[in-house]
Amino acid sequence: MKSIFLIDDDPIFVYLTRRIIASIDRQCKINEFTDGDLAIRYLEQICEKPELLPDIIFMDISMPVMDGWEFLNQYSRLRPRIKKDIALFIVSSSISPQEVERSKSYRAVSDFLIKPLERGKIVEIIDSARETAG
Amino acid sequence: MSKREAKRPVSEEETEQRRIAEQLDKQKAFYENILNKLPTDIAVFDADHRYLFVNPGAISKEEYRKYIIGKDDYEYAAYRNRDVSVAHARRAKFLEAKQTGKEIRWEDTLTDPQGNMITHLRRMFPVFDQNGELSLVIGFGIDITDRKLMEVKQAALVDQLSKQNTQLMDFCSIVSHNLRAPLVNMSMLVEFIEATDDPVEQRLLISKLRPVIDNLHATFNELVESIQIRQDLEIKKENVCLNECVKRTIGGLETEINKLGARIETDFSEVSVIHYPPQYLNSIIHNLISNSLKYHYPGRPPVIRIRTRKADDKIVLSVEDNGLGIDLEKHRDNFFKIGKVFHRHPNAKGFGLYMTKTHVEAMGGRIWVESVPDQGSTFFIEFENRIKQAS
């Protein structure tokens, strides 16, 4: 059973992404976080419990309280303690090339995806996570 | 014959010498003419910084030019009854050129008798003889006042351009983040609606469109308003009484203030009136007070202190609260941007401070914040405008 974390403050986007994921894989477990701070706190708690850690993280950049960049800073520090190989995707409505460039400076980031998130792309990501896990 | 022969070379020599002397005079006149006609200052010094030559570009009056030969700048300053500091400065430069043996250049600015600032680019370079002894120092200067003035104008222009560029970047980021996001949601929702035949499902999806459209509308309106504010250079300013302005805001926020038990203290003893567009000032005060109320510390009745003080020819308005505060280490860059929210609050949209910044900057002012998390925030606004004293 795959586990996915959605870190995004936009309820519509989260709702639609949930539906897409459910249509691909009903078994998928999804956790929602409306900002980076809530997500990083939870990850800190569970970093040594692979059974609770996600396979995939989809994360927005523009969020209240703690934005995606700050999340990435803290996540990068936490990463050595995380007992699982997690694929992290930035999912942003921004089309700014500077942000794409900036995201490349984080080794934890697998890819920078621009919204809307297409179903085909999610299928691809879930499949490849399945391969590495399986 | 031998006498004749002996005489002939002498006469030839004489003619030759005369010819050479004439030639030299001609050449001297030729070079002097060039040096005198050059529209730059030229001065030649001996190894002890005494003048060997100056051209009219450096000293226009012939009398002074004649005087200065063989003298130094101290004697010349005394002769012309001038401040000795110029002589000091020039001696320092001379010694620098002499000691380093290299060309030096610098800019100096003087005030002419009419009170205009005149800037010269000056260069001095040492000339050495075959034995490596300093024989001359040549100095020359060109008037670069025009260029200097251009530089000042250009610097102002660059400053203005970089401000506008920042605004443009902000605008691009708004379009990219705040306008594109709801558009993406709308198109995704529509795709889902088209993909299903179930009317219940369709109604559910359609109901989700409304808040997205409202959000897009709100962002769009804020954006249009902020552009209008930045472009409206003709907006009328008035003498606005701060006490009345705050009273009006408190009236509008009465319910919230009573509910939270908030106390609002004002001190406008230093400055009580600001010359400003009234609707902008009202909006600024309203946004800052309502922010302080919105982000109060749970269980702690808000205390908001609003005061003004004079700082040189400017006015600084500060709004201090004892609320949630904010971690500026993390958020300084984003603080006044549109759609940026720092607390989990249902009504936080990130418009207030963006508009406040727009209202302040459109009038040439500045806004900044100091804050300690869990203790409170203080917003400062510096108004460019002086108060117009009601006469």
Side-chain angles (χ1 to χ4, degrees):
Chain A
M1 192 178 72
K2 297 290 128 220
S3 162
I4 298 176
F5 281 13
L6 293 178
I7 312 173
D8 197 320
D9 63 316
D10 180 346
I12 302 290
F13 182 80
V14 169
Y15 170 78
L16 295 175
T17 309
R18 258 183 182 286
R19 285 186 57 137
I20 297 173
I21 294 169
S23 75
I24 296 166
D25 181 355
R26 282 216 168 270
Q27 300 290 306
C28 237
K29 189 172 169 293
I30 299 169
N31 281 50
E32 279 176 37
F33 304 88
T34 52
D35 62 65
D37 185 53
L38 294 171
I40 200 76
R41 279 175 201 229
Y42 185 60
L43 282 166
E44 274 165 5
Q45 284 172 29
I46 62 162
C47 65
E48 285 173 359
K49 296 172 183 157
E51 70 280 8
L52 294 176
L53 286 164
D55 302 281
I56 301 160
I57 295 176
F58 290 116
M59 182 197 64
D60 189 17
I61 289 293
S62 175
M63 288 183 291
V65 189
M66 184 192 286
D67 69 8
W69 301 121
E70 181 55 26
F71 173 87
L72 281 175
N73 291 337
Q74 302 207 13
Y75 179 76
S76 300
R77 281 197 290 277
L78 183 67
R79 227 173 143 219
R81 286 171 50 208
I82 296 179
K83 299 260 183 297
K84 191 165 182 175
D85 202 12
I86 301 172
L88 189 150
F89 296 87
I90 294 177
V91 188
S92 172
S93 58
S94 169
I95 43 177
S96 138
Q98 287 97 317
E99 296 204 338
V100 178
E101 261 326 291
R102 189 173 170 190
S103 75
K104 286 180 184 160
S105 67
Y106 292 94
R107 292 177 61 194
V109 177
S110 300
D111 202 357
F112 190 105
L113 310 174
I114 292 170
K115 291 178 186 176
L117 202 47
E118 280 165 22
R119 190 176 191 281
K121 188 74 199 170
I122 301 181
V123 169
E124 195 183 295
I125 290 167
I126 291 178
D127 279 350
S128 73
R130 188 173 286 148
E131 276 161 31
T132 52
Chain B
M1 187 70 196
S2 69
K3 266 191 180 176
R4 256 183 79 105
E5 275 178 2
K7 226 180 164 184
R8 262 188 73 94
V10 173
S11 143
E12 240 176 45
E13 216 170 88
E14 271 176 2
T15 339
E16 182 67 9
Q17 268 176 359
R18 208 175 299 132
R19 205 178 59 78
I20 289 170
E22 267 171 29
Q23 195 78 26
L24 278 174
D25 278 350
K26 246 196 207 166
Q27 273 187 6
K28 186 172 175 250
F30 176 74
Y31 289 120
E32 260 187 12
N33 195 28
I34 292 177
L35 288 174
N36 289 341
K37 292 282 160 59
L38 274 176
T40 59
D41 308 6
I42 298 172
V44 183
F45 307 97
D46 67 12
D48 297 315
H49 200 197
R50 269 190 281 273
Y51 283 84
L52 297 171
F53 172 82
V54 285
N55 76 340
I59 298 175
S60 54
K61 227 173 167 182
E62 198 182 355
E63 186 194 338
Y64 300 155
R65 244 180 3 253
K66 284 207 168 120
Y67 170 84
I68 207 169
I69 302 303
K71 313 277 194 322
D72 65 15
D73 277 313
Y74 290 95
E75 289 163 292
Y76 187 67
Y79 172 66
R80 293 288 307 275
N81 217 354
R82 280 180 172 170
D83 190 18
V84 78
S85 63
V86 178
H88 276 317
R90 294 210 173 148
R91 175 60 52 89
K93 294 292 178 191
F94 178 86
L95 290 175
E96 192 186 333
K98 187 176 172 176
Q99 276 151 17
T100 59
K102 283 179 187 145
E103 182 201 315
I104 56 165
R105 51 176 76 190
W106 74 97
E107 285 179 12
D108 72 12
T109 302
L110 300 164
T111 312
D112 75 358
Q114 284 77 43
N116 302 311
M117 299 286 272
I118 308 287
T119 305
H120 280 90
L121 171 65
R122 298 197 182 280
R123 299 165 74 170
M124 250 188 197
F125 49 95
V127 179
F128 298 92
D129 61 19
Q130 295 103 312
N131 306 321
E133 294 287 324
L134 182 71
S135 58
L136 300 171
V137 173
I138 302 174
F140 72 88
I142 29 173
D143 187 336
I144 54 163
T145 306
D146 290 346
R147 205 178 82 189
K148 224 47 204 172
L149 289 175
M150 282 290 286
E151 273 176 25
V152 172
K153 273 189 201 160
Q154 249 172 13
L157 210 62
V158 166
D159 186 52
Q160 195 192 349
L161 274 176
S162 80
K163 268 191 194 147
Q164 285 176 348
N165 193 45
T166 311
Q167 284 173 13
L168 188 66
M169 297 285 278
D170 283 352
F171 184 79
C172 287
S173 122
I174 290 165
V175 170
S176 161
H177 274 122
N178 306 79
L179 294 182
R180 200 175 174 275
L183 273 174
V184 165
N185 281 344
M186 278 157 67
S187 69
M188 280 177 78
L189 280 167
V190 169
E191 269 175 43
F192 271 80
I193 292 166
E194 284 170 348
T196 178
D197 292 325
D198 179 359
V200 179
E201 183 77 3
Q202 278 179 343
R203 260 201 301 280
L204 174 72
L205 289 163
I206 288 169
S207 75
K208 292 198 179 288
L209 268 174
R210 172 53 54 193
V212 182
I213 292 168
D214 288 347
N215 172 289
L216 183 60
H217 225 113
T219 307
F220 190 79
N221 286 343
E222 289 292 317
L223 201 54
V224 168
E225 198 185 328
S226 80
I227 290 167
Q228 279 168 347
I229 290 167
R230 289 195 196 275
Q231 287 177 342
D232 191 359
L233 304 172
E234 307 282 288
I235 183 116
K236 266 184 78 182
K237 296 178 196 169
E238 287 171 28
N239 288 335
V240 187
C241 172
L242 282 163
N243 254 320
E244 281 174 25
C245 191
V246 171
K247 238 182 242 169
R248 202 172 306 131
T249 300
I250 291 176
L253 295 166
E254 211 175 354
T255 329
E256 192 68 7
I257 289 170
N258 290 340
K259 203 177 88 191
L260 295 168
R263 200 168 77 235
I264 296 175
E265 297 167 3
T266 56
D267 174 6
F268 299 137
S269 52
E270 263 188 59
V271 183
S272 61
V273 174
I274 292 180
H275 193 63
Y276 216 70
Q279 65 271 44
Y280 288 10
L281 197 63
N282 284 331
S283 161
I284 291 167
I285 301 264
H286 181 95
N287 273 330
L288 291 180
I289 294 181
S290 71
N291 255 353
S292 287
L293 294 172
K294 198 192 266 182
Y295 303 110
H296 65 275
Y297 196 87
R300 192 197 289 163
V303 178
I304 304 169
R305 292 193 179 88
I306 309 164
R307 57 175 300 206
T308 47
R309 60 183 172 82
K310 275 187 190 148
D312 301 324
D313 57 338
K314 288 166 181 165
I315 300 163
V316 177
L317 172 86
S318 60
V319 178
E320 182 191 346
D321 67 40
N322 59 345
L324 286 169
I326 193 153
D327 188 348
L328 288 172
E329 290 294 308
K330 286 181 195 157
H331 299 297
R332 193 177 290 282
D333 293 347
N334 293 327
F335 212 84
F336 296 99
K337 287 190 180 162
I338 197 169
K340 288 289 175 189
V341 173
F342 309 100
H343 300 103
R344 295 183 191 103
H345 190 286
N347 291 325
K349 291 189 193 70
F351 289 156
L353 286 176
Y354 177 73
M355 284 312 282
T356 302
K357 184 177 151 82
T358 307
H359 279 132
V360 171
E361 286 185 348
M363 307 273 61
R366 234 158 39 91
I367 181 164
W368 69 98
V369 64
E370 286 170 9
S371 184
V372 179
D374 300 339
Q375 290 184 24
S377 307
T378 309
F379 284 88
F380 296 91
I381 295 171
E382 185 182 78
F383 293 97
E384 199 62 42
N385 305 59
R386 290 159 169 274
I387 316 166
K388 272 231 177 107
Q389 293 302 339
S391 49

